[in-house]
Amino acid sequence: MAGQHKYSVLLPTYNERENLPVIVWLLTKTFQENNIDYEIIVIDDNSPDGTLEIAKQLQKIYGEDRILLRPRAGKLGLGTAYVHGIQHATGDFIFILDADMSHHPKFMTEMIRLQQAKNLDVVTGTRYAGNGGVYGWDLKRKVISRGANFLATVLLRPGVSDLTGSFRLYKKEVLAKLISSCISKGYVFQMEMMVRARQFNFTIGEVPITFVDRVFGDSKMGAMEIVGFAKGLLQLFVAV
Amino acid sequence: MTRATEAATFFGITATLYLALLFQWLPITLPKTVQEFTLPVLPWWALVTFGAYSLGNIGYHVLTFRDCPEAYDELQVQISQAQNDLRSKGVSIK
């Protein structure tokens, strides 16, 4: 279905020893079943739990042309992980998704289909539209998520329904341009990518996705995240 | 123009227009009820309306926020498939 294109998946990891093998298995399954040319770039930030060891074992099974290991010396942040990953990517399209299986790779085919049908620059997964949804969220978490998204939509008017999602497909050069112009870090970074994409008049499409809260390990959502979100949002409001 | 300057421009123009009407700086005569009763409470009406809209919007979207237990179930099955398959290929999975 993908024609001559090659898709590079960037997987920044930190302590994902349990998740990495499964997400790689799901990714390869989806790509193979649909005859899509791919590579998976694992950017591990020196996880103490031995994520890199597992990644090496996976590389032996799937091949060095399919699983690329580009580890870094320590926790250096999401934005720089993508920059680091892109430098080594040989695909003309880049997938970004969380390594913790909250994003299911099966949605990649739909994202590719939409991208090709409309020649879009960015396709982003949305939990908030169509048949999208979440699993494992209580009422409080839903209210926070919806409130945060509403606030961000009012202040930034980005034109997409799910600003903070991070399951996306980019044209490689579009992602490179967006990252180089982004100023924020962490959680807010995903939001800024969409706002900047609008600013540069890149075309954006949305595909409904389901989001299953991480099965292994802790979910990162507390008071600090909310404060960080608010600060980042205001920075973007002033900057973009 | 950033979103902040856009918002500042919008509120600046709106506020100027409002004050001009409220203090009758313009050569326009509004009906007496509008001038004396509507205009003084208009900002509060706008504030309450926006607040109600926000709460309604968030509330509606929380209510219609879909739960997807089927996605969880599917994932659980695939996780064990993946783990079994990879274990058989020699990956050290607990």
Side-chain angles (χ1 to χ4, degrees), chain A residues 25 57 104 106 156-157 240, chain B residues 3 6 74 78 85 92:
Chain A
W25 189 85
Q57 296 179 12
H104 198 296
K106 70 180 173 187
L156 302 175
R157 281 172 287 134
V240 182
Chain B
R3 292 306 196 200
E6 276 176 31
E74 181 192 9
Q78 290 181 332
D85 183 41
S92 51

Side-chain angles (χ1 to χ4, degrees), chain A residues 120-152:
Chain A
L120 297 167
D121 296 313
V122 185
V123 176
T124 177
T126 174
R127 296 160 290 182
Y128 300 137
N131 216 22
V134 291
Y135 176 83
W137 284 18
D138 57 9
L139 188 64
K140 184 182 154 204
R141 179 91 192 256
K142 283 184 176 176
V143 171
I144 291 173
S145 170
R146 270 322 205 161
N149 205 62
F150 175 75
L151 195 63

